[in-house]
Amino acid sequence: MKALVYTAPEEMQLLERPMPEPGPGEVVLKIEAVGICGSDMHAWHGHDPRRKPGLVLGHEFAGAIESSTVDGITPGTRFTGNPLITCGRCEYCVQGRNNLCAARTMVGMTRPGAFAEYMSIPVTSLVAIPQEMPARAAALTEPVATAWHAVNLSLRSLVRPLHECRALVIGGGAIGMSAALLLRHLGVADLAVSERNPLRRQALEKHAGCRTLDPAAESPSDSAFDYVIDAVGAAATRNQALSAVKPGGVVMHVGLQDWASEIDMRRLTLDELTLLGTYTYTTADLRAAVDGLHRGIFGDLSWVEERPLEAGPDAFVDLDEGRSAAAKIVLKP
Ligand SMILES: [Zn+2]
Ligand SMILES: [Zn+2]
């Protein structure tokens, strides 16, 4: 089979790889669509020590069952899936918070990912989709679920209902775009998105109907927002988020570009800010994302660009250089 292999920093190659075999409790999916994630970009830059050259990346997939070692799984049935492979037995898994499972491993990181014609995965990671759901929509389940999980966690901390809140989203990639569309759907009073790429700003205005600002030209106003989502997670955006939020407001930290940086703990304390972290999604979030995508909450998805798997190496370069207006590029093997 053909697979897009991460061969060296800033290098991807389409190579011939052996067809995967399903291990015990596993299925092999014929991949129909797979999204390029910010974390794949991070790996491609050589910045993720967990993702080493020789790996097939890609964890935002949809596909059809090709083969299986599990009874009751019909070949041809289409699924998306949870790329986090969890133990199913620990405290967190039992509580349904399987994103926090300490034993978790991940597709496209600790095992070959979905930038390929076929991929094996445990049957317990499969997430059902309506069989007529387009592959592009199904492959968006994972990034949408990330936004869904983040928004749900933060809504519990807002003091006033969302329809009374002014919100700022920092970063207009797939997570920022999904969060913006979800906040719109949930009736946020006022929404602004900060994004560097002018093509993406246009897409955000068109699809999420929000104000946008270019952080290179203007900073978000200080103490102006009840709720801020940092979907970049760099030292600069983290500080921007903490400045832009009103006293008593909530900052949700989703992206993770810089691991550590100094933040203004004095402001956090004196202004009673709530700073929250969020990591990925639970299986319940993935199911909610499938349902939301299917019901059209995230629009017609014309903010997603499709390209063939062979065009993957160029897609990484285009994303890196900000040449694509799309908040997400989905590859189709
Ligand atoms: Zn991802
Ligand atoms: Zn577990």
Side-chain angles (χ1 to χ4, degrees):
M1 67 157 186
K2 291 205 168 24
L4 197 62
V5 183
Y6 163 56
T7 44
E10 305 197 0
E11 188 184 270
M12 302 282 278
Q13 287 183 40
L14 197 70
L15 299 176
E16 201 59 40
R17 281 280 163 110
M19 179 76 185
E21 293 287 334
E26 290 187 353
V27 300
V28 167
L29 285 178
K30 183 177 196 323
I31 302 297
E32 295 175 359
V34 50
I36 300 177
C37 177
S39 64
D40 295 319
M41 293 295 301
H42 201 62
W44 175 80
H45 277 296
H47 293 165
D48 185 348
R50 302 166 304 178
R51 290 171 163 103
K52 297 190 172 63
L55 181 67
V56 177
L57 299 166
H59 56 266
E60 303 177 356
F61 54 89
I65 301 290
E66 179 70 16
S67 60
S68 162
T69 59
V70 183
D71 289 341
I73 298 282
T74 313
T77 310
R78 301 173 64 237
F79 288 93
T80 183
N82 189 344
L84 298 178
I85 296 162
T86 55
C87 79
R89 292 181 299 275
C90 72
E91 175 190 353
Y92 297 108
C93 284
V94 168
Q95 290 170 350
R97 298 195 292 163
N98 48 347
N99 59 324
L100 301 179
C101 174
R104 68 180 182 250
T105 56
M106 191 178 179
V107 164
M109 187 161 83
T110 55
R111 56 189 288 149
F115 290 147
E117 290 179 288
Y118 298 92
M119 178 188 76
S120 68
I121 186 168
V123 70
T124 48
S125 268
L126 294 178
V127 173
I129 58 170
Q131 289 303 293
E132 71 281 14
M133 191 172 186
R136 161 207 300 238
L140 277 181
T141 301
E142 195 261 9
V144 162
T146 304
W148 202 290
H149 186 72
V151 168
N152 257 337
L153 272 186
S154 31
L155 290 187
R156 292 180 205 158
S157 300
L158 290 174
V159 175
R160 302 294 305 164
L162 194 61
H163 66 258
E164 294 176 20
C165 289
R166 294 189 70 195
L168 169 69
V169 176
I170 302 177
I175 308 290
M177 172 68 94
S178 305
L181 289 162
L182 186 55
L183 292 176
R184 270 272 169 264
H185 171 73
L186 295 173
V188 69
D190 179 69
L191 179 63
V193 181
S194 165
E195 162 62 42
R196 281 191 305 195
N197 181 334
L199 298 170
R200 280 189 174 175
R201 284 202 298 278
Q202 280 173 15
L204 283 155
E205 285 164 18
K206 178 170 166 211
H207 298 286
C210 56
R211 286 183 292 117
T212 61
L213 54 103
D214 174 6
E218 57 170 326
S219 295
S221 313
D222 282 351
S223 301
F225 298 92
D226 304 277
Y227 175 27
V228 182
I229 297 179
D230 180 358
V232 178
T237 58
R238 211 170 280 157
N239 286 319
Q240 232 169 42
L242 286 165
S243 305
V245 74
K246 277 188 198 170
V250 174
V251 172
M252 174 49 91
H253 193 256
V254 191
L256 197 50
Q257 266 185 24
D258 295 327
W259 289 15
S261 66
E262 206 167 290
I263 59 170
D264 185 349
M265 291 306 287
R266 186 171 187 275
R267 160 120 222 266
L268 187 98
T269 306
L270 295 186
D271 282 346
E272 251 182 33
L273 305 182
T274 302
L275 175 60
L276 296 163
T278 172
Y279 175 69
T280 65
Y281 31 73
T282 65
T283 304
D285 296 313
L286 290 158
R287 288 194 180 145
V290 167
D291 185 55
L293 282 158
H294 193 58
R295 284 191 291 137
I297 289 174
F298 299 91
D300 62 2
L301 305 185
S302 56
W303 49 274
V304 178
E305 192 183 321
E306 287 181 15
R307 299 190 186 186
L309 184 68
E310 299 77 59
D314 289 340
F316 273 76
V317 175
D318 285 352
L319 283 169
D320 189 46
E321 294 179 359
R323 278 201 295 258
S324 173
K328 175 66 71 187
I329 295 181
V330 160
L331 302 177
K332 298 191 102 174

